[in-house]
Amino acid sequence: MTIVPKTLSLPLRWNPEDPDFWTGHGRAVALRNLWIAVPALALSFAVWMLWSVLVVHLPAAGFRYSTNQLFWLSALPALCGATLRIFYGFAVRWVGGRRWTALSTASLLLPAGGIALAVQDPATPYEWMVVLALLCGLGGANFASGMAHISACFPAREQGRALGLGAGFAHLGVGLVQWAVPVVITLDLFGLPAQSGGLWLANAGLVWLPLIALASMAAWFGMDDLPSAGVGMAEQAQLFTHRHSWLMSWLYLGSFGSFIGFAAAGPLLLRSQFPGFEGAQHLVWLGPLLGALARPLGGWVADNFGGARISLACFGGLALGVVGVLASLGMEGGAWLFGASFLLLFVAAGIANGSTFRMVPLGFVCEAQKSQRPLPEAQAQGAAALGLCSAVGAYGGFFIPKSFGSAITLAGGPEAALYCFLAFYLSCMAICWWFYGRRHAPLSC
């Protein structure tokens, strides 16, 4: 397949592994595609997590939804996004990175515009809100196709750095939306009538529309449809029979799933448990921001000290964070301990996100070296396993807020959910140590 990169005048076969091609032409094309993809990915995460902060303000605007219904709205985008990630990872190969990035980014106009209309009327049926929450899952799915395109742009020796940059900036979209929405809904930006409580909830959707349109047009006119390598569906199906795939999916659910799940649930959980702690609602974005910034740190320390060691320590930190949240409930002045514990959860999840992401492909390489299998085959399996782990990990964005909602409805508080999370992190520590971290572990990575 031949392409005409926008910086070249002659058709060339895309081959980033060729040092001469990469130095002379490929690097400039790859970097242009990367830097155009980055804002699109950040906006995708922002739309994906829009309900996490919007649900906090619905009751003040006159929406009479139960706490469990609000947690459903914050959880459903992750359910949809995680499921669609399984298919979005192949879309770049079928449609092309430029076209798919432009179209998938433009699709975010649907949930953002729909939310802007729906939240203006407290009589909007809850079922319509559910549909809009599911549509926000399109933002979460975009991550899989974005990573696939970035991977196709760069040679194997530089993919780790490029994917780390793309993922890190994408995760910043969570902090962005949780910082921006509480600000913009208090401002008369578009001349719409104010709602109950002096809020303009429609702004939560409207402010993203021009940014989404610009990012989509930038992708259409500035990116390239580069041939994407990787494995097909038949080869990826083999991963379902591989133990390492499922073990790492479990660990990635504990790292990225915790990051996105606590981001989805944190603002509403804070409001439900500490309703008088209003000032903290304007600081909920700090946790996701620190988690996003910690992600590349996790990859770096894993390279130097071993992914299993770092991941094991991080899961211990996550367990400690859950204990802190449990201790804060019902305590006088417990809101501060609650906030500090959530910061620990985000930082530990962010570092673990980077370290576990490194462990996934390295495990296949280590196994290939032991069994003397071809290294390229192991590298392709590792790349495909990242897609599977990414999809499984994203389900944490559904399970965590939904667990909180169910626990509050059934037991009157979130304690039952937190005890389940504590048991889960202990299981992650056991898996990480037994299979990857101990001496003579089956796969040391």
Side-chain angles (χ1 to χ4, degrees):
M1 177 180 180
T2 59
I3 63 164
V4 185
K6 294 173 177 55
T7 56
L8 303 178
S9 57
L10 296 174
L12 292 172
R13 183 174 295 276
W14 183 253
N15 184 15
E17 302 296 342
D18 181 353
D20 293 333
F21 174 84
W22 178 249
T23 302
H25 308 289
R27 183 188 297 275
V29 175
L31 289 175
R32 172 164 44 78
N33 278 264
L34 172 63
W35 295 122
I36 293 176
V38 159
L41 288 171
L43 286 171
S44 294
F45 266 67
V47 173
W48 194 23
M49 288 292 105
L50 183 55
W51 283 100
S52 71
V53 62
L54 186 59
V55 292
V56 175
H57 302 281
L58 288 179
F63 290 85
R64 300 294 176 241
Y65 300 148
S66 68
T67 299
N68 192 39
Q69 286 178 313
L70 293 175
F71 272 111
W72 264 112
L73 293 178
S74 64
L76 285 174
L79 178 64
C80 178
T83 304
L84 289 178
R85 278 188 177 192
I86 301 171
F87 306 100
Y88 269 48
F90 299 101
V92 170
R93 299 181 66 199
W94 298 333
V95 181
R98 175 186 67 87
R99 283 172 287 187
W100 185 258
T101 302
L103 294 174
S104 62
T105 302
S107 72
L108 303 178
L109 295 169
L110 290 174
I115 287 172
L117 293 174
V119 297
Q120 295 183 55
D121 183 5
T124 300
Y126 180 74
E127 291 76 12
W128 177 235
M129 296 296 199
V130 167
V131 171
L132 291 172
L134 290 170
L135 284 175
C136 282
L138 297 172
N142 285 357
F143 182 77
S145 54
M147 291 297 101
H149 181 63
I150 292 172
S151 178
C153 290
F154 288 83
R157 63 185 179 276
E158 297 191 28
Q159 283 180 6
R161 186 184 310 167
L163 292 171
L165 283 171
F169 278 104
H171 292 174
L172 288 175
V174 181
L176 173 64
V177 73
Q178 293 190 348
W179 167 79
V181 168
V183 174
V184 300
I185 63 174
T186 63
L187 303 174
D188 183 7
L189 298 177
F190 302 99
L192 298 173
Q195 296 169 261
S196 175
L199 299 176
W200 289 267
L201 290 187
N203 293 353
L206 292 175
V207 293
W208 307 107
L209 296 182
L211 299 176
I212 292 169
L214 286 173
S216 180
M217 288 189 292
W220 185 264
F221 293 107
M223 295 178 71
D224 298 277
D225 288 316
L226 306 178
S228 177
V231 296
M233 280 192 171
E235 292 85 353
Q236 180 142 345
Q238 297 177 3
L239 296 173
F240 291 99
T241 63
H242 201 290
R243 182 179 66 177
H244 178 63
S245 300
W246 291 111
L247 291 174
M248 286 310 308
S249 293
W250 188 262
L251 297 183
Y252 202 66
L253 178 64
S255 58
F256 176 74
S258 296
F259 170 80
I260 206 68
F262 286 124
L268 185 56
L269 184 65
L270 175 63
R271 172 61 63 87
S272 67
Q273 300 304 304
F274 302 96
F277 202 51
E278 294 293 334
Q281 289 295 335
H282 297 284
L283 298 175
V284 292
W285 54 271
L286 275 176
L289 174 65
L290 292 176
L293 294 176
R295 188 192 188 284
L297 175 63
W300 180 79
V301 294
D303 286 336
N304 289 275
F305 301 101
R309 291 180 181 179
I310 301 303
S311 298
L312 182 61
C314 289
F315 288 125
L318 284 162
L320 182 61
V322 170
V323 172
V325 174
L326 279 166
S328 73
L329 301 176
M331 175 191 297
E332 184 177 352
W336 293 106
L337 177 58
F338 179 96
S341 299
F342 253 75
L343 287 179
L344 174 59
L345 288 170
F346 279 113
V347 172
I351 296 175
N353 192 5
S355 60
T356 53
F357 202 74
R358 174 192 178 274
M359 291 171 64
V360 176
L362 188 58
F364 284 95
V365 172
C366 292
E367 188 179 60
Q369 291 172 341
K370 285 185 177 181
S371 60
Q372 297 183 339
R373 290 193 297 113
L375 187 58
E377 176 186 337
Q379 290 173 331
Q381 282 186 321
L386 285 174
L388 174 63
C389 293
S390 172
V392 173
Y395 281 108
F398 170 76
F399 289 123
I400 289 179
K402 189 62 196 77
S403 296
F404 281 134
S406 297
I408 291 172
T409 299
L410 297 175
E415 288 86 354
L418 289 165
Y419 282 118
C420 290
F421 299 155
L422 180 59
F424 172 73
Y425 293 132
L426 293 177
S427 75
C428 289
M429 293 177 68
I431 290 172
C432 194
W433 176 77
W434 181 261
F435 291 98
Y436 303 104
R438 65 184 174 92
R439 190 179 181 183
H440 306 304
L443 289 176
S444 297
C445 56

